[in-house]
Amino acid sequence: MRRLGAGLLIAGLAAAAWLWPARPVLVVRQGAVPVLALPLLPGETVGVRFVHSVDHLPVEDRYVASRGRGLVQVETRLLSFGTGMGTIPGQGRAVVDGPWLRVTDMSRAIGRLVLRVGSPGVDHAVLYRGCAFSLTERWAGERLVLEAVWVGPWLHELLDLGGRLIWAIHCRR
């Protein structure tokens, strides 16, 4: 009887974990190794900032995690259209925001973002909740993959480590 009760308890816990809504996490990997995990709220944006290689002006791209589509670009913010920085017909709308031009209302499915991290002059960074986490400081010239994954509450806690990031770094505001 005790074995049946324990089996039912385990089955119940497994069903609850399976039915519990999964939450998105932005995972940055170097090869197969996760180097940064940022828990996201549903609909929360996360960004990538870099300095354009031709016009040497900053560009910020914003993404949301979408189940089945991975990372979806929802906005780009720039000071000038540099080489390769045009608009995509039918995608987004341009909004002037001080010196910035923002292309908003985009819905461009990226899936996984494979990034060759630039040199210090490029300053690749992940933008998260008001902080800029420099990728260039650690991985200039290296290949990183940014992807959205969905995890249950127990795995979310393992990735989040109680509010601490896997990669403990200085937050630049």
Side-chain angles (χ1 to χ4, degrees):
M1 189 65 150
R2 273 175 44 173
R3 226 187 287 175
L4 177 63
L8 288 174
L9 176 63
I10 290 171
L13 290 173
W18 184 74
L19 293 172
W20 194 276
R23 298 182 345 188
V25 174
L26 176 75
V27 176
V28 179
R29 298 182 195 281
Q30 183 179 32
V33 179
V35 294
L36 179 63
L38 302 171
L40 300 170
L41 298 171
E44 181 177 16
T45 64
V46 63
V48 173
R49 182 184 66 211
F50 60 94
V51 174
H52 194 279
S53 62
V54 175
D55 62 20
H56 305 287
L57 295 173
V59 176
E60 294 178 2
D61 293 329
R62 305 293 296 183
Y63 303 91
V64 296
S66 172
R67 225 180 234 274
R69 295 176 73 199
L71 290 176
V72 175
Q73 186 179 7
V74 294
E75 180 176 324
T76 190
R77 190 171 96 119
L78 39 99
L79 292 172
S80 171
F81 279 108
T83 303
M85 297 300 298
T87 59
I88 300 170
Q91 287 241 353
R93 107 189 132 80
V95 177
V96 176
D97 184 7
W100 294 93
L101 175 65
R102 292 176 42 222
V103 180
T104 63
D105 300 327
M106 297 172 69
S107 183
R108 184 174 171 220
I110 302 296
R112 305 179 326 144
L113 180 60
V114 179
L115 182 66
R116 176 72 59 191
V117 179
S119 63
V122 177
D123 193 29
H124 274 107
V126 171
L127 307 175
Y128 175 75
R129 297 183 179 171
C131 294
F133 299 105
S134 176
L135 300 175
T136 296
E137 283 181 17
R138 274 200 155 168
W139 292 287
E142 299 293 323
R143 178 183 182 267
L144 296 180
V145 176
L146 288 71
E147 61 186 333
V149 298
W150 275 258
V151 295
W154 54 274
L155 186 55
H156 191 273
E157 291 305 315
L158 289 177
L159 286 171
D160 185 26
L161 298 176
R164 294 182 313 272
L165 302 175
I166 288 175
W167 173 32
I169 50 179
H170 179 68
C171 171
R172 291 192 201 141
R173 295 198 186 263

